Structure formats: C-alpha cells, structure tokens
Amino acid sequence: MPSENEPATVNVALALPGEGFPGGGERPLERPPCRCKIPAIMSFDISGKVALVTGGARDIGRAICLELARNGADVVVNYVSAPEAAEQAAEEIRAGGGRALAIRADVSLEDQVQAMFREMIGAWGGIDILVNNAGLQKDAAFGEMTLAQWNTV
C-alpha cells in the first residue's frame, strides 16, 4: 500500500480500434502497458468505514481501493474475472496494515451481488462507502446494439 505521500500506481493498457475482430473489438498496441501515478488529490480520515469498490482489482478501481485503504477504510475489492489481481490488491492493503477482502461477484447478476453483500456484512457488519466502478465495453454504434448488448452495458 502506498504511503501517505506516495501516489497509487495503476497499470493502463492502451488499445486502438481494430478491424477484423468480432464485434469491432480492440487490438492492443504493440508496446507494454504504461505505469501511471495517480496523485492523491485530498486526504481524509475514513477509519473504521467499510468500502466496497466494484471492479476494484485493476486499473482505476485498484487505485481507488488503495487510496481508500490509505485513508483508513476497510476495503472489499470486487472482481469478476481477475482473482489474482484482486487478491494482490487486497494483500497490498493488508501488508500496509489495512483490512481487505477480495470477493468475486458479477454485478450484473442480482444473486451474485446479494451473495457479495452477505459475505461483506458477515465479515464487517455493513457498508459505508460504495464505489460503482465496474463496467463493460461492447463496441457497437448505438443504433446497431441489440437489446441484450444494451442491457449488459
């Protein structure tokens, strides 16, 4: 976990629109992801508060998790497809003296969200802060999206 004066670090992978990929897709640039520093804009004491960050395993969500923990919150790192990244973020928080749980749940599925809340409430009694960071990208022009694609994003 970063110290009070050290900004959180996140990986940012750049991509360009691709042709020939199903649904338009994206193709990664021919270079490794960059490491970006996100400086803390403000410092605040949220000690003892329980925070849930959806999509908290990577990128901006990970930086939010680390910043919340740096300011004293107990953090639930929600993920759907990156268990190693989620556990790594949670371990970084714990290594810095914070409390963290990595919980898998697809936030588009109500039963999984309910199970995630039951686990979080069972561990820490409730929730004080919710950061809705999870998101999907389905590359299609608005007029070409199916109802199922629209409902997914």
PDB file of all heavy atoms in Angstrom, residues 133-146:
ATOM      1  N   ASN A 133     -17.595   1.219  -9.789  1.00  0.00           N
ATOM      2  CA  ASN A 133     -16.544   1.384 -10.784  1.00  0.00           C
ATOM      3  C   ASN A 133     -16.599   0.339 -11.891  1.00  0.00           C
ATOM      4  O   ASN A 133     -16.071   0.562 -12.971  1.00  0.00           O
ATOM      5  CB  ASN A 133     -15.177   1.330 -10.083  1.00  0.00           C
ATOM      6  CG  ASN A 133     -14.045   1.370 -11.059  1.00  0.00           C
ATOM      7  OD1 ASN A 133     -13.799   2.368 -11.705  1.00  0.00           O
ATOM      8  ND2 ASN A 133     -13.356   0.256 -11.199  1.00  0.00           N
ATOM      9  N   ALA A 134     -17.236  -0.801 -11.646  1.00  0.00           N
ATOM     10  CA  ALA A 134     -17.247  -1.882 -12.634  1.00  0.00           C
ATOM     11  C   ALA A 134     -17.916  -1.419 -13.917  1.00  0.00           C
ATOM     12  O   ALA A 134     -18.860  -0.633 -13.898  1.00  0.00           O
ATOM     13  CB  ALA A 134     -17.987  -3.098 -12.082  1.00  0.00           C
ATOM     14  N   GLY A 135     -17.398  -1.904 -15.017  1.00  0.00           N
ATOM     15  CA  GLY A 135     -18.005  -1.545 -16.289  1.00  0.00           C
ATOM     16  C   GLY A 135     -17.610  -2.506 -17.388  1.00  0.00           C
ATOM     17  O   GLY A 135     -16.610  -3.207 -17.291  1.00  0.00           O
ATOM     18  N   LEU A 136     -18.411  -2.523 -18.413  1.00  0.00           N
ATOM     19  CA  LEU A 136     -18.173  -3.338 -19.592  1.00  0.00           C
ATOM     20  C   LEU A 136     -18.135  -2.436 -20.808  1.00  0.00           C
ATOM     21  O   LEU A 136     -18.756  -1.390 -20.822  1.00  0.00           O
ATOM     22  CB  LEU A 136     -19.325  -4.321 -19.813  1.00  0.00           C
ATOM     23  CG  LEU A 136     -19.437  -5.534 -18.958  1.00  0.00           C
ATOM     24  CD1 LEU A 136     -20.583  -6.386 -19.475  1.00  0.00           C
ATOM     25  CD2 LEU A 136     -18.177  -6.352 -18.953  1.00  0.00           C
ATOM     26  N   GLN A 137     -17.476  -2.898 -21.806  1.00  0.00           N
ATOM     27  CA  GLN A 137     -17.488  -2.178 -23.070  1.00  0.00           C
ATOM     28  C   GLN A 137     -17.896  -3.152 -24.158  1.00  0.00           C
ATOM     29  O   GLN A 137     -17.297  -4.202 -24.325  1.00  0.00           O
ATOM     30  CB  GLN A 137     -16.115  -1.593 -23.382  1.00  0.00           C
ATOM     31  CG  GLN A 137     -16.112  -0.845 -24.694  1.00  0.00           C
ATOM     32  CD  GLN A 137     -14.781  -0.196 -24.960  1.00  0.00           C
ATOM     33  OE1 GLN A 137     -13.929  -0.119 -24.080  1.00  0.00           O
ATOM     34  NE2 GLN A 137     -14.602   0.269 -26.170  1.00  0.00           N
ATOM     35  N   LYS A 138     -18.917  -2.815 -24.871  1.00  0.00           N
ATOM     36  CA  LYS A 138     -19.365  -3.578 -26.032  1.00  0.00           C
ATOM     37  C   LYS A 138     -19.289  -2.622 -27.212  1.00  0.00           C
ATOM     38  O   LYS A 138     -20.055  -1.672 -27.297  1.00  0.00           O
ATOM     39  CB  LYS A 138     -20.798  -4.080 -25.862  1.00  0.00           C
ATOM     40  CG  LYS A 138     -20.982  -5.052 -24.722  1.00  0.00           C
ATOM     41  CD  LYS A 138     -20.439  -6.404 -25.082  1.00  0.00           C
ATOM     42  CE  LYS A 138     -20.736  -7.394 -23.972  1.00  0.00           C
ATOM     43  NZ  LYS A 138     -20.130  -8.653 -24.170  1.00  0.00           N
ATOM     44  N   ASP A 139     -18.341  -2.844 -28.082  1.00  0.00           N
ATOM     45  CA  ASP A 139     -18.140  -1.935 -29.203  1.00  0.00           C
ATOM     46  C   ASP A 139     -19.208  -2.114 -30.268  1.00  0.00           C
ATOM     47  O   ASP A 139     -19.229  -3.123 -30.974  1.00  0.00           O
ATOM     48  CB  ASP A 139     -16.754  -2.157 -29.823  1.00  0.00           C
ATOM     49  CG  ASP A 139     -15.655  -1.656 -28.916  1.00  0.00           C
ATOM     50  OD1 ASP A 139     -15.906  -0.702 -28.167  1.00  0.00           O
ATOM     51  OD2 ASP A 139     -14.554  -2.222 -28.964  1.00  0.00           O
ATOM     52  N   ALA A 140     -20.107  -1.161 -30.330  1.00  0.00           N
ATOM     53  CA  ALA A 140     -21.128  -1.123 -31.369  1.00  0.00           C
ATOM     54  C   ALA A 140     -21.722   0.275 -31.366  1.00  0.00           C
ATOM     55  O   ALA A 140     -21.853   0.901 -30.307  1.00  0.00           O
ATOM     56  CB  ALA A 140     -22.214  -2.167 -31.118  1.00  0.00           C
ATOM     57  N   ALA A 141     -22.069   0.747 -32.530  1.00  0.00           N
ATOM     58  CA  ALA A 141     -22.773   2.030 -32.607  1.00  0.00           C
ATOM     59  C   ALA A 141     -24.127   1.876 -31.928  1.00  0.00           C
ATOM     60  O   ALA A 141     -24.731   0.789 -31.954  1.00  0.00           O
ATOM     61  CB  ALA A 141     -22.939   2.433 -34.063  1.00  0.00           C
ATOM     62  N   PHE A 142     -24.605   2.950 -31.312  1.00  0.00           N
ATOM     63  CA  PHE A 142     -25.851   2.902 -30.560  1.00  0.00           C
ATOM     64  C   PHE A 142     -26.973   2.258 -31.372  1.00  0.00           C
ATOM     65  O   PHE A 142     -27.678   1.381 -30.877  1.00  0.00           O
ATOM     66  CB  PHE A 142     -26.239   4.320 -30.122  1.00  0.00           C
ATOM     67  CG  PHE A 142     -27.589   4.401 -29.485  1.00  0.00           C
ATOM     68  CD1 PHE A 142     -27.786   3.948 -28.196  1.00  0.00           C
ATOM     69  CD2 PHE A 142     -28.673   4.914 -30.180  1.00  0.00           C
ATOM     70  CE1 PHE A 142     -29.031   4.005 -27.600  1.00  0.00           C
ATOM     71  CE2 PHE A 142     -29.921   4.978 -29.601  1.00  0.00           C
ATOM     72  CZ  PHE A 142     -30.105   4.522 -28.311  1.00  0.00           C
ATOM     73  N   GLY A 143     -27.127   2.666 -32.606  1.00  0.00           N
ATOM     74  CA  GLY A 143     -28.197   2.146 -33.444  1.00  0.00           C
ATOM     75  C   GLY A 143     -28.028   0.690 -33.842  1.00  0.00           C
ATOM     76  O   GLY A 143     -28.969   0.053 -34.306  1.00  0.00           O
ATOM     77  N   GLU A 144     -26.839   0.147 -33.661  1.00  0.00           N
ATOM     78  CA  GLU A 144     -26.567  -1.241 -34.036  1.00  0.00           C
ATOM     79  C   GLU A 144     -26.557  -2.196 -32.840  1.00  0.00           C
ATOM     80  O   GLU A 144     -26.420  -3.403 -33.008  1.00  0.00           O
ATOM     81  CB  GLU A 144     -25.218  -1.324 -34.755  1.00  0.00           C
ATOM     82  CG  GLU A 144     -25.193  -0.570 -36.063  1.00  0.00           C
ATOM     83  CD  GLU A 144     -23.808  -0.504 -36.675  1.00  0.00           C
ATOM     84  OE1 GLU A 144     -22.892  -1.177 -36.163  1.00  0.00           O
ATOM     85  OE2 GLU A 144     -23.652   0.222 -37.665  1.00  0.00           O
ATOM     86  N   MET A 145     -26.694  -1.651 -31.628  1.00  0.00           N
ATOM     87  CA  MET A 145     -26.668  -2.503 -30.446  1.00  0.00           C
ATOM     88  C   MET A 145     -27.967  -3.288 -30.318  1.00  0.00           C
ATOM     89  O   MET A 145     -29.051  -2.759 -30.549  1.00  0.00           O
ATOM     90  CB  MET A 145     -26.464  -1.671 -29.174  1.00  0.00           C
ATOM     91  CG  MET A 145     -25.088  -1.071 -29.046  1.00  0.00           C
ATOM     92  SD  MET A 145     -24.880  -0.162 -27.505  1.00  0.00           S
ATOM     93  CE  MET A 145     -24.498  -1.509 -26.407  1.00  0.00           C
ATOM     94  N   THR A 146     -27.828  -4.540 -29.924  1.00  0.00           N
ATOM     95  CA  THR A 146     -29.008  -5.343 -29.621  1.00  0.00           C
ATOM     96  C   THR A 146     -29.491  -4.972 -28.222  1.00  0.00           C
ATOM     97  O   THR A 146     -28.748  -4.366 -27.427  1.00  0.00           O
ATOM     98  CB  THR A 146     -28.673  -6.850 -29.651  1.00  0.00           C
ATOM     99  OG1 THR A 146     -27.783  -7.132 -28.565  1.00  0.00           O
ATOM    100  CG2 THR A 146     -28.066  -7.257 -30.983  1.00  0.00           C
TER     101      THR A 146
END
